[in-house]
Amino acid sequence: MTALSDISDLINRATGGNNGTPQNVFWHKQPRIAGAAAAATIAGRPASLWRYDGFPSGGATPTTVEAPSNATAGALPFTSAGGSRESWLTQSWATGLVGGTLILYDRLLHIGGLSGTVTTDQTVGGTLTRSTGGAGNFAFAEIYAVVGTTGTTITMSYTDQDGNSGATSTAVSFGATGFREGTRAILLPLDSGDTGIREVASVKLAATTGTAGNFGLVVGNVLAYMGVGTAGAPGWRDFITGLPGIPKIEAGACLSLLWIPISTTVPELMGGYSIVEA
């Protein structure tokens, strides 16, 4: 990172000097989706907060494939850097009524309208507009409406970080209890040796789950994570003095949240983050 020369430069920019344009953002998420109670979580299994009510309001269930941005409803507040400057995440915090781990990520691409009963390739497609080199990008299947009670597996066909097409992710469970309910985020492990995703061609179920429901595919890039130990206890990350350094936020980033709970209690969470330009 060369945009921030030293700690004095960072402090100057964080207080508004030298076109630092600091952003200090607050967010709050309620365990409801369009006013209805969100599905219970499962300890240790990721849940997407994309559609959770709160501030900002919940995102819509996508239909056709799109590359969401900071202008997409549901994205956490973020203003892209001006001029030739870049945006840098300097700190983040979160707290809530239950414990778990919160992941802040850039939602690069998403699609909905996929079926839990179709066993042929279901097209994803689309084009990334950020993190286009693929390194560090990950993917998950997001459940928007409950799929069936019959357990099966899911894989995706994708282009890896080196531009090799036709790679296939490792099969993981899909459908049945724990892998069918709304907000479930089912991570799709990459093929051996791969470190990222440039494009997803399709996803495929090995067998029907028995109910179509509605699910989609999300490609993201992780920016930060923080632990929330117990109710009311803050999780805090200071990227200025701590590892792994100061994460860069790409222009137009669709900042979003994943939650890895330690219980079945749906989370009510609040937090914030600070950004400077350099």
Side-chain angles (χ1 to χ4, degrees), residues 74 85 145 185 203 255 278:
R85 298 185 300 279
V203 296
L255 302 182

Side-chain angles (χ1 to χ4, degrees), residues 229-252:
T230 57
W236 179 269
R237 295 295 305 276
D238 178 0
F239 297 104
I240 300 170
T241 59
L243 294 173
I246 304 179
K248 175 184 171 182
I249 304 177
E250 293 207 27

Side-chain angles (χ1 to χ4, degrees), residues 4 38-39 45 63 66 73 98 103 105 113 143 156 170 200 207 210 272-273:
L4 294 165
R45 297 202 182 281
T63 52
E66 67 171 328
V98 292
I103 298 174
Y105 72 101
I143 307 294
M156 68 174 173
T170 302
V200 177
Y273 46 88

Side-chain angles (χ1 to χ4, degrees), residues 68-277:
S69 71
N70 56 342
T72 302
L76 298 178
F78 165 62
T79 300
S80 298
S84 60
R85 298 185 300 279
E86 297 173 318
S87 298
W88 303 93
L89 179 67
T90 58
Q91 58 186 354
S92 61
W93 67 274
T95 188
L97 298 182
V98 292
T101 301
L102 193 69
I103 298 174
L104 175 68
Y105 72 101
D106 183 3
R107 194 174 174 102
L108 303 172
L109 182 138
H110 62 195
I111 189 175
L114 306 182
S115 172
T117 60
V118 174
T119 58
T120 54
D121 288 341
Q122 299 188 66
T123 299
V124 176
T127 302
L128 300 184
T129 58
R130 301 178 303 280
S131 299
T132 56
N137 295 344
F138 72 105
F140 60 91
E142 181 167 353
I143 307 294
Y144 298 117
V146 179
V147 297
T149 58
T150 301
T152 183
T153 59
I154 185 172
T155 56
M156 68 174 173
S157 175
Y158 66 97
T159 299
D160 69 15
Q161 72 288 340
D162 294 322
N164 301 310
S165 61
T168 302
S169 65
T170 302
V172 294
S173 297
F174 186 87
T177 300
F179 302 95
R180 66 186 292 261
E181 301 83 2
T183 76
R184 294 285 183 269
I186 302 171
L187 300 179
L188 304 179
L190 302 183
D191 194 14
S192 177
D194 285 349
T195 59
I197 301 166
R198 289 190 185 181
E199 180 181 349
V200 177
S202 60
V203 296
K204 187 175 184 179
L205 302 182
T208 179
T209 68
T211 301
N214 184 350
F215 78 95
L217 188 284
V218 178
V219 178
N221 188 281
V222 172
L223 295 170
Y225 53 88
M226 65 212 83
V228 178
T230 57
W236 179 269
R237 295 295 305 276
D238 178 0
F239 297 104
I240 300 170
T241 59
L243 294 173
I246 304 179
K248 175 184 171 182
I249 304 177
E250 293 207 27
C254 181
L255 302 182
S256 309
L257 299 167
L258 284 173
W259 174 247
I260 303 177
I262 61 174
S263 72
T264 59
T265 302
V266 288
E268 179 177 350
L269 299 162
M270 65 183 69
Y273 46 88
S274 297
I275 298 168
V276 299
E277 297 181 13

